[in-house]
Amino acid sequence: GMLTEYRDKILEPNRLLWLELFLHLADVSNPLKPFNLSKAWAMRVLDEFFQQGDEEREQGLPVGMLNDRDKVNKPGSQHGFITFLVSPLVVQSVNL
């Protein structure tokens, strides 16, 4: 039937690609969770980025754009992450 044909022609020949896609979706899926969980995890990720930026600054290295706690707009960074990465990836993945 149609499911068998989809499996044989789409899923099986591209098994590694599908696994990589699902791993990437899992990695960036935080905004798909309930808001209280999503916000808590977003803050943890930003704190990790900021710690990296602090280390870069201490070592005299250029501070990465998303790692500068003095310049990053937290809500704006999350809006961009969701709008330009998560949403298109999820929509296209669902369409597949």
Side-chain angles (χ1 to χ4, degrees):
M2 192 164 70
L3 184 56
T4 302
E5 184 178 346
Y6 184 78
R7 183 194 65 217
D8 293 345
K9 290 185 178 182
I10 305 297
L11 297 179
E12 288 298 330
N14 302 295
R15 181 178 285 208
L16 182 58
L17 181 63
W18 286 105
L19 291 173
E20 290 171 342
L21 171 64
F22 294 140
L23 179 63
H24 189 56
L25 281 166
D27 184 43
V28 300
S29 67
N30 182 53
L32 304 174
K33 296 178 175 115
F35 182 73
N36 62 331
L37 291 174
S38 179
K39 182 180 178 185
W41 279 106
M43 293 303 109
R44 288 181 180 107
V45 169
L46 287 172
D47 286 342
E48 184 177 331
F49 288 172
F50 295 157
Q51 289 174 2
Q52 173 73 28
D54 295 345
E55 288 184 30
E56 292 166 345
R57 188 174 287 109
E58 288 172 11
Q59 295 180 18
L61 299 170
V63 177
M65 182 175 71
L66 295 175
N67 299 350
D68 193 332
R69 69 175 66 246
D70 298 325
K71 295 181 181 174
V72 169
N73 175 309
K74 290 180 182 182
S77 72
Q78 293 307 295
H79 179 267
F81 175 63
I82 293 166
T83 301
F84 299 111
L85 188 120
V86 177
S87 180
L89 180 63
V90 169
V91 167
Q92 292 307 311
S93 297
V94 169
N95 287 336
L96 291 172

